[in-house]
Amino acid sequence: MSLFRLPNFLFEYKLSSAETAVAAAMYSVHSAAGTGSTHIVKIKQQTICELTGIKCLKTVSKALNVLAAIGVIKWKKRSKKANTDKLGAYKYGLIAAKGTYTLVDRKIFRRGLKAAEIKMYLFICKCIDRHKQLCWNSYNDIAEKLSMSRSRVIELIRLLKNKGLIITKRVKNKAGGDIDNHYMLADLNKKIKIKRRKPTVFTPPLTFKNTKN
């Protein structure tokens, strides 16, 4: 399946964009094994960088340490590759996404997003009403929940909209006064049509020959 479970409690920890994106990338990996309370994944830090748009391995390593400190990562192990002395990728035991969780499409990690954009997209996914399929959180509310400035929230929503990941609607409130922003998730299976400009054809200037009578 293309969907994975993202535990909603991640947003209670006030994680940074990098930490949120790293956690989401790990939960997006199919569990290799595990019990009902543990989600076991095997993934390289370089792979996490590629999924989250984080360029520095140290940033990923720090994010993993934070996730371990708050208990999201319960343990990690590293074993040698078969018939060699080289070490393989780490295995991580994560808290299973039980209770309240959000279903997220794994394809979001194929869109070349940066960590902050991933964090914003995940939060909108979390806030989507199942019946109306809408998120109507205000800029101020999102800024408070994600510990971002209002201007940063507006910028990230604009980026997600321009990349065809969310659809925004302007709706009047019940009093008929102020207009609120509503958000819908776009279908990630649809290909984004990119408008291409027609190439400019260079027309050389006309030249006139001097003619003598």
Side-chain angles (χ1 to χ4, degrees), residues 76-96:
K76 71 175 182 178
K77 298 177 183 178
R78 196 178 188 187
S79 56
K80 292 182 179 180
K81 295 181 180 179
N83 302 321
T84 181
D85 291 332
K86 294 182 179 180
L87 293 172
Y90 276 108
K91 277 187 178 181
Y92 301 89
L94 310 176
I95 297 177

Side-chain angles (χ1 to χ4, degrees), residues 67-79:
L67 294 175
I70 63 178
V72 174
I73 296 177
K74 299 165 69 174
W75 53 261
K76 71 175 182 178
K77 298 177 183 178
R78 196 178 188 187
S79 56

Side-chain angles (χ1 to χ4, degrees), residues 65-125:
N65 290 336
V66 171
L67 294 175
I70 63 178
V72 174
I73 296 177
K74 299 165 69 174
W75 53 261
K76 71 175 182 178
K77 298 177 183 178
R78 196 178 188 187
S79 56
K80 292 182 179 180
K81 295 181 180 179
N83 302 321
T84 181
D85 291 332
K86 294 182 179 180
L87 293 172
Y90 276 108
K91 277 187 178 181
Y92 301 89
L94 310 176
I95 297 177
K98 283 190 170 184
T100 57
Y101 58 84
T102 299
L103 292 175
V104 183
D105 197 324
R106 288 183 173 87
K107 296 187 187 72
I108 194 62
F109 295 107
R110 301 177 189 172
R111 295 302 183 102
L113 300 183
K114 295 181 180 179
E117 295 170 325
I118 292 174
K119 183 179 181 180
M120 178 61 66
Y121 181 84
L122 295 174
F123 183 77
I124 291 177
C125 288

Side-chain angles (χ1 to χ4, degrees), residues 143-159:
E144 181 183 354
K145 296 289 176 59
L146 298 185
S147 300
M148 294 180 179
S149 66
R150 189 176 186 273
S151 59
R152 181 60 169 155
V153 168
I154 295 173
E155 178 189 6
L156 290 172
I157 289 176
R158 177 182 58 80
L159 288 171

Side-chain angles (χ1 to χ4, degrees), residues 3-47:
L3 302 178
F4 71 94
R5 293 182 179 184
L6 183 74
N8 290 345
F9 63 72
L10 287 177
F11 292 99
E12 299 174 4
Y13 290 109
K14 300 294 183 180
L15 299 174
S16 69
S17 295
E19 292 156 4
T20 304
V22 168
M26 296 180 75
Y27 275 104
S28 74
V29 178
H30 292 283
S31 183
T35 63
S37 61
T38 307
H39 182 86
I40 298 178
V41 298
K42 185 177 182 181
I43 188 171
K44 296 179 180 179
Q45 291 188 16
Q46 181 60 44
T47 302

